[in-house]
Every structure is written in C-alpha cells, then in structure tokens.
C-alpha cells in the first residue's frame, strides 16, 4: 500500500522540479542561519542564488560526521534552540555523540516518512506492531513509534530485551508486525523454539529489520523461521533516523523518500558524483527538515542508485543494500565500535604490543568479536597463568569500554601481517 | 641445583613447533629436557638446553618470544616412590606448592633428574636439603 501517492509516485521530472525548489529554499535558509554552512559556501564563492539546477548540487561542499562533532552540540542548528522539541543522539567514537534536534514540523515529517515506510510493507491501522528497537536517544524506537501511530496501528513499545516477555506479548496481543534488528529477530526465534512456540503459527506477518548489516541469507533464515516477510529498512541519525529509505515487497532495493532526502552516489576518493547504477558512497541532502538541514552529508555507506520504475508503482529512486562502509566503524550486535576504541583499550594494558587484529564474524546469528594480540617479550614468562591473566584483563577492559564481550587470542610476535601504510586492523567476515 | 630454563611461546597451530625445533637444530643446540604447557590457543614450551645464552639468542633472532628463568634440578633415585619421597613429600611438609615440574632419566644408571618450579626457590632448596 502507498501512503502518500502524490509524492511516492510522482513523475520524475515533476519530482526533480520539487527537489530543486526545496533545495534552493534550504540553501537559502542555511546560508542565512548557520555560520558553518555560510562559511563553507562562501569559500566556494557560492550563495543561495548559485543553485539554478539540481546539477549545481555537485558544487556544494560535503558535510561529514566530523563536522557534527566539531559543532557539537547545537552549532549546526538552523533554528533557535527553543524551537527544538526533541533531541536524539547516536554514539560516537570518543565520548561525544552526534546530537540532532527536531522542530515540531520535523517530528511531523518524520512521522510521515515512517508511516510511508510501514505502509510499504503492507502495514495498516488494523495491525499490531511490536516495536523492539531501543527507545531513548537512539532514533530507532521513537521513529518507528511515531510512524506507527500516524498510520493508526496499535503500537506495543516493547523496546529491546526480555525475550520471553516479548514472546508472551506477541502471543497474547496477536502481534502482526515486528520491528527490530535482524539479529534480535533470530534470538526471538530461538527463544520461541525453546519454549515450544512455532512463530509460523502466530499472527506475525511482516518485519522491518535494520540498524546493523545483514545478508540476504539471513533474510531467508528470518523469513523461514518466523514465517514472515522480512524487509530492509534504512536510516541514519544525521539525516532523520529511520524513514530515509525502505524496501517494498518486490525486494529490489530500498525506495528513498526523495521529496525529503536528495540522494547522490559519489566516488569516495575524488568526491565526483557517479551516474546511476555505479557503486560509490551515498550522500544525502535534506530538503525539508527545519532544525537541522544537512547539505551533502557523506554517509560512508557504499551502495548504488536505481531510478527505474518499480513494479510497486513508486517512482522514487532505490538504493541497493549497503555493501560496506568507507570508514572503519563496525556495528557489532547493534553497537557502534571503532577500531580506535579497541586500540585505546589494548594500549592501556601493560605488556600489550600495538600489533593486533580485530576479527568480526557471525556465529549462531550473533556478531562475534575476536581480538588477536601479539605477545611481547616483556609480558611473556614460563607460566601460563601470566598470559591467561593478560587475556582476561584485556577481555574485561574491552567489555567495560565497548559494552560488548570479545574473545582475546594471544598470537606469536610478527604473526599479524604488516602492510605498507595504513595497517589492516580489521577483518570483517560478515561481509555482505 | 639451580638451572636456567628457556621458555618459548608457541601458537597452537600445525608447524609452529617444527619451526622452533629447526632454529635449535640449525644452531647446533641440543635439548636436554622439555615439557609443554598447553592452552586453547597457545602453549609454552619449556626447555633445558645445552647452551642457554646461544639458545635464547637464536630463538629471538628467529622472531620467537623466548625468555630464561631459574628452576631447580634435583637428582632423585629412579625407582618406585623416588619422586614422592625425594621431592613431593618434603615440599609438602614445608608447605611449598609446586608450580610445575617435569622429569627425565639421567645418563647415570638408577638416577633421574626432576626439573621443578616453585615460587620461592631458596625455601625449596632448604626443604630438599640442597
């Protein structure tokens, strides 16, 4: 079902005309209200009048995650702080999160795009949605929540965890829609099996899974074990949260809500825009958001765009499943982990060499983190106990800093491959 | 008597032990005795070598992690109850805990040598009447 027929099936020339008008208005707004953008535009000799066609977008400088950090917390706001009715945040590398604000209108827009998202999976006001994304600073929980209410569906704000209770609610309230991370859906399935519940016999019909990388193989497993349609959902805090793009039941990529979010794919090295179909870094410009308009935000997600008409009738461009990231941030069990954080922990432990390897894998549907450490002569002795203690200490420290557990494996010196220039510190075996 | 023991870190993978042994062979170093402490991912090989300093240098030169430490070597009768009566009971009476030990048969008939590690070597020497 299409929630907003006007915008979701708009002929592309008309859509592009709308995008241009909105882009011009946003550039004008940020030029006047946000010193960061005014300066960036002025450095390129650009002003609000410079944007005459959508092609002029390529002249606008990029915005990065670092710019959010540099302007923490409210430096990028285009409205007075008093007009902000909501704050959300995502976890960051070193302490400071990315903080985003929403005006009342922004919250309305968010509810709209989230209603479109859910409707795309066939959800209506008759449905019961069990929302197992985390509620709080994370955009996932409340984003889904407001969209579901906009749709008029019944929301169970279950949040994450307490799986047995989740299953009880699911059975007793006849949940039809599940929203959570893909890995959590499989944990729910495992718990159900242990309790002797066959989820295929329940009212569950469709699920919206995202916030962490997952494969099509995992989709098949989810669909088979839960007896549902499993759809891919995409969003990011800097842009709005969930509700940026959503897969329809034809499963041919995720429809981007282009009347609100203008998408480009660029060459991550040169910054040059790439034609449709070519793989590169996804870049978003928000066209309607008031509190925090963003020009050309580099998502670091690698994908390609497809503007061909979709059998579902929508004319919006579709992004392929994200294939990787340009930077080194890892999402492990839904938690953002940067290799730099791991390195910081390791180097604080006495006797640990700065030679390490981070190996991420997926076992039994759960992300698995293993750290290989080279043993230094300083820490080595004739006793096993000393080395075992070192392993335990590193494991404890990692757990307390990252909030997730990791296995630690001691290896021989020089057994970790050295590379010229940027060291290869991470092996992600979960790759799509 | 006190003796220098060489310990080497070895990853628990095929070929790693051979690598270490080859280094010793190429440097003409003989192994008098050895024991292995095995963990899940790695082990520690403890060696009594014909030449400690040369052995350490050769192993480190080959990129292995090796260190030397003092252990006690006790000469015991190679007969039933030899280990119990000469080592384990005296140490137990003195309240000394054995960290680890290993033994080999001596070239002298009827004798054996026990290499042992305790926290306090001096106290152990006294208990064993060394």
């Amino acid at each position: 079902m299409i929630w907003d027929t006007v915008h979701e099936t708009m002929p592309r020339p008309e859509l592009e005309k709308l995008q241009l008008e909105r882009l011009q208005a946003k550039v004008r707004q940020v030029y006047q209200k946000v010193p960061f953008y005014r300066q960036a535009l002025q450095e390129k000799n650009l002003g609000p009048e410079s944007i005459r066609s959508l092609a002029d977008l390529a002249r606008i400088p990029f915005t990065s995650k670092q710019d959010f950090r540099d302007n923490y917390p409210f430096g990028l706001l285009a409205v007075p702080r008093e007009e902000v009715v909501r704050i959300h945040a995502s976890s960051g590398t070193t302490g400071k999160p990315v903080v985003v604000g929403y005006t009342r209108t922004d919250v309305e827009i968010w509810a709209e795009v989230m209603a479109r998202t859910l409707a795309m999976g066939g959800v209506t006001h008759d449905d019961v949605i069990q929302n197992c994304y985390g509620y709080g600073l994370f955009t996932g929980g409340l984003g889904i929540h407001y969209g579901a209410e906009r749709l008029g569906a019944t929301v169970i704000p279950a949040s994450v965890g307490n799986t047995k209770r989740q299953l009880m609610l699911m059975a007793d309230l006849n949940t039809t829609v599940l929203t959570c991370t893909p890995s959590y859906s499989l944990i729910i399935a495992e718990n159900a099996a242990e309790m002797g519940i066959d989820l295929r016999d329940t009212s569950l019909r469709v699920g919206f899974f995202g916030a962490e990388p997952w494969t099509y193989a995992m989709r098949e497993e989810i669909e088979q074990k839960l007896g549902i349609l499993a759809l891919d959902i995409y969003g990011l805090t800097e842009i709005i949260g969930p509700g940026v793009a959503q897969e329809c039941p034809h499963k041919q990529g995720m429809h981007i809500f282009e009347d609100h979010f203008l998408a480009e794919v660029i060459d991550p090295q040169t910054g040059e825009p790439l034609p449709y179909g070519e793989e590169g870094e996804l870049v978003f410009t928000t066209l309607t958001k008031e509190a925090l308009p963003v020009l050309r935000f580099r998502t670091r997600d690698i994908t390609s765009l497809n503007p061909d008409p979709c059998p579902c009738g929508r004319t919006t461009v579709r992004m392929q499943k994200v294939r990787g990231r340009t930077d080194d941030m890892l999402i492990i069990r839904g938690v953002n982990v940067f290799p730099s954080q791991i390195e910081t922990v390791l180097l604080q432990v006495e006797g640990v060499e700065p030679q390490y390897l981070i190996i991420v894998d997926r076992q039994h549907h759960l992300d698995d983190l293993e750290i290989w450490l080279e043993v230094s002569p300083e820490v080595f002795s004739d006793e096993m106990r000393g080395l075992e203690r070192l392993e335990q200490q590193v494991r404890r420290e990692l757990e307390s800093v990252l909030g997730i557990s990791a296995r630690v494996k001691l290896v021989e010196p020089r057994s970790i491959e050295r590379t010229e220039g940027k060291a290869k510190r991470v092996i992600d075996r979960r790759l799509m | 008597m006190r003796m220098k023991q060489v310990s080497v870190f070895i990853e628990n993978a095929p070929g790693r032990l051979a690598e270490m042994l080859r280094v010793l062979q190429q440097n003409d170093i003989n192994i008098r005795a050895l024991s292995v402490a095995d963990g899940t991912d790695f082990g520690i090989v403890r060696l009594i070598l014909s030449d400690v300093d040369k052995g350490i240098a050769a192993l480190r030169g080959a990129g292995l992690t090796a260190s030397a430490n003092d252990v006690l070597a006790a000469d015991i009768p190679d007969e039933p109850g030899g280990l119990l009566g000469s080592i384990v009971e005296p140490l137990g009476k003195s309240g000394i805990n054995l960290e680890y030990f290993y033994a080999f048969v001596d070239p002298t008939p009827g004798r054996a040598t026990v290499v042992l590690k305790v926290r306090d070597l001096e106290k152990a020497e006294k208990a064993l009447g060394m």
Side-chain angles (χ1 to χ4, degrees):
Chain A
M1 174 206 153
I2 298 176
W3 177 253
D4 183 342
T5 325
V6 174
H7 292 102
E8 293 182 78
T9 62
M10 197 177 258
R12 290 204 67 82
E14 215 177 299
L15 176 64
E16 284 166 14
K17 190 165 161 280
L18 177 68
Q19 287 182 315
L20 178 60
E21 285 167 15
R22 288 180 168 178
L23 175 66
Q24 288 167 329
K26 272 303 131 185
V27 173
R28 195 171 306 120
Q29 184 199 2
V30 296
Y31 189 84
Q32 288 165 358
K33 308 284 188 190
V34 187
F36 166 80
Y37 284 117
R38 182 163 55 245
Q39 196 190 332
L41 290 165
Q42 279 172 348
E43 278 171 14
K44 297 272 176 187
N45 292 316
L46 295 172
E49 68 293 336
S50 311
I51 308 303
R52 295 195 189 86
S53 72
L54 284 180
D56 288 325
L57 180 67
R59 300 165 65 196
I60 297 176
F62 294 113
T63 306
S64 70
K65 210 178 182 79
Q66 188 59 41
D67 294 322
F68 274 82
R69 290 198 197 106
D70 293 345
N71 292 280
Y72 176 87
F74 295 132
L76 294 180
L77 281 189
V79 298
R81 208 272 307 135
E82 303 83 73
E83 287 183 32
V84 170
V85 300
R86 178 97 65 79
I87 294 291
H88 277 287
S90 76
S91 55
T93 343
T94 48
K96 295 290 185 201
V98 165
V99 165
V100 294
Y102 303 71
T103 64
R104 197 168 296 284
T105 308
D106 291 337
V107 173
E108 289 287 314
I109 292 170
W110 196 13
E112 271 299 306
V113 289
M114 277 312 305
R116 290 185 195 177
T117 295
L118 295 166
M120 207 181 291
V123 181
T124 71
H125 62 274
D126 292 332
D127 278 297
V128 177
I129 302 178
Q130 191 153 336
N131 184 17
C132 312
Y133 282 109
Y135 279 69
L137 283 173
F138 176 47
T139 52
L142 286 169
I144 299 268
H145 187 100
Y146 276 66
E149 285 191 353
R150 171 63 51 99
L151 209 54
T154 306
V155 198
I156 308 168
S159 205
V160 197
N162 202 340
T163 310
K164 296 253 182 321
R165 192 185 60 181
Q166 299 273 11
L167 281 161
M168 182 195 77
L169 290 170
M170 208 172 272
D172 294 352
L173 307 180
N174 291 319
T175 301
T176 55
V177 182
L178 176 64
T179 55
C180 64
T181 59
S183 54
Y184 191 59
S185 76
L186 286 170
I187 292 173
I188 291 176
E190 274 175 5
N191 273 266
E194 278 169 24
M195 292 164 73
I197 302 169
D198 190 340
L199 289 173
R200 290 172 297 189
D201 298 338
T202 67
S203 315
L204 266 193
R205 191 180 83 234
V206 61
F208 296 78
F209 305 109
E212 67 183 15
W214 60 308
T215 58
Y216 287 131
M218 194 161 170
R219 184 216 298 270
E220 275 174 32
E221 198 173 344
I222 294 171
E223 293 195 327
Q224 196 253 322
K225 286 191 171 152
L226 282 80
I228 60 170
L229 175 68
L231 298 175
D232 207 354
I233 180 170
Y234 179 86
L236 55 173
T237 310
E238 291 85 349
I239 299 305
I240 202 161
V244 176
Q246 173 62 40
E247 189 179 41
C248 73
H250 294 279
K251 297 178 176 171
Q252 293 173 15
M254 292 173 274
H255 289 275
I256 295 172
F257 301 120
E258 280 181 288
D259 51 324
H260 294 289
F261 313 111
L262 183 47
E264 303 167 82
V265 164
I266 61 156
D267 180 326
Q269 257 76 49
T270 64
E272 289 301 315
L274 295 173
Y276 284 134
E278 275 190 39
E279 200 167 73
E281 182 177 351
L282 186 61
V283 170
F284 278 112
T285 299
T286 66
L287 297 175
T288 50
K289 255 188 3 172
E290 291 183 339
L292 198 68
V294 185
L295 298 184
R296 303 193 85 199
F297 179 72
R298 293 186 65 151
T299 64
R300 299 177 175 190
D301 285 330
I302 301 290
T303 186
S304 63
L305 297 176
N306 175 9
D308 296 341
C310 179
C312 74
R314 288 178 184 81
T315 53
T316 43
V317 78
R318 281 164 287 152
M319 58 180 275
Q320 293 310 302
K321 198 171 204 19
V322 173
R323 206 179 57 80
R325 293 182 63 87
T326 59
D327 67 351
D328 51 12
M329 188 186 83
L330 296 162
I331 303 176
I332 299 168
R333 282 171 241 153
V335 178
N336 292 357
V337 174
F338 289 83
S340 56
Q341 284 178 300
I342 294 177
E343 182 169 318
T344 308
V345 171
L346 295 180
L347 297 183
Q348 277 166 359
V349 177
E350 211 189 329
V352 171
E353 295 272 303
Q355 292 300 340
Y356 62 90
L357 192 63
I358 298 163
I359 296 171
V360 193
D361 211 338
R362 186 163 271 148
Q363 291 178 351
H364 310 298
H365 325 305
L366 272 182
D367 293 338
D368 186 71
L369 177 62
E370 187 173 83
I371 315 284
W372 286 18
L373 271 182
E374 284 192 5
V375 168
S376 71
E378 287 74 28
V379 76
F380 178 70
S381 79
D382 61 316
E383 286 178 28
M384 291 297 275
R385 215 179 302 166
L387 295 179
E388 284 167 355
R389 212 176 298 144
L390 180 76
E391 279 185 342
Q392 280 163 16
Q393 193 191 347
V394 172
R395 193 161 52 231
R396 254 199 324 270
E397 297 285 324
L398 283 171
E399 185 150 14
S400 83
V401 170
L402 304 178
I404 54 172
S405 59
R407 278 183 296 118
V408 176
K409 182 181 168 183
L410 297 179
V411 298
E412 287 177 30
R414 281 183 261 178
S415 60
I416 293 171
E417 193 194 338
R418 281 16 173 200
T419 45
E420 301 276 323
K422 203 171 151 62
K424 180 142 182 68
R425 298 289 194 201
V426 181
I427 294 177
D428 195 337
R429 294 190 178 135
R430 301 172 299 178
L431 286 185
M432 313 287 104
Chain B
M1 66 184 257
R2 293 203 185 184
M3 212 180 230
K4 284 277 182 215
Q5 169 190 261
V6 175
S7 303
V8 188
F9 181 91
I10 298 281
E11 245 183 87
N12 212 344
R16 292 301 163 82
L17 186 61
E19 198 184 318
M20 181 203 80
L21 294 175
R22 221 163 277 133
V23 173
L24 294 176
Q25 180 202 28
Q26 279 156 9
N27 288 276
D28 202 27
I29 298 160
N30 192 28
I31 300 171
R32 302 278 324 283
L34 93 166
S35 82
V36 180
D38 58 328
T40 316
D41 296 321
F42 62 86
I44 296 172
V45 180
R46 300 165 184 140
L47 304 155
I48 302 297
L49 297 177
S50 57
D51 188 334
V52 174
D53 294 342
K54 196 174 155 193
I56 287 270
L59 292 165
R60 285 189 180 161
L64 292 158
T65 298
S67 68
N69 69 294
D70 279 327
V71 289
L72 291 182
D75 180 46
I76 63 162
D78 184 14
E79 62 189 30
L83 179 65
L84 183 67
S86 312
I87 307 288
V88 179
E89 279 181 341
L91 288 180
K93 275 180 197 148
S94 305
I96 298 168
N97 191 36
L98 265 172
E99 301 289 332
Y100 59 81
F101 70 93
Y102 49 103
F104 55 98
V105 177
D106 212 74
T108 321
R111 305 301 295 174
T113 304
V114 176
V115 177
L116 56 100
K117 171 70 187 289
V118 292
R119 275 266 166 266
D120 189 343
L121 291 178
E122 212 168 306
K123 198 172 161 194
E125 280 171 330
K126 270 185 202 146
L128 297 174
M130 283 178 173

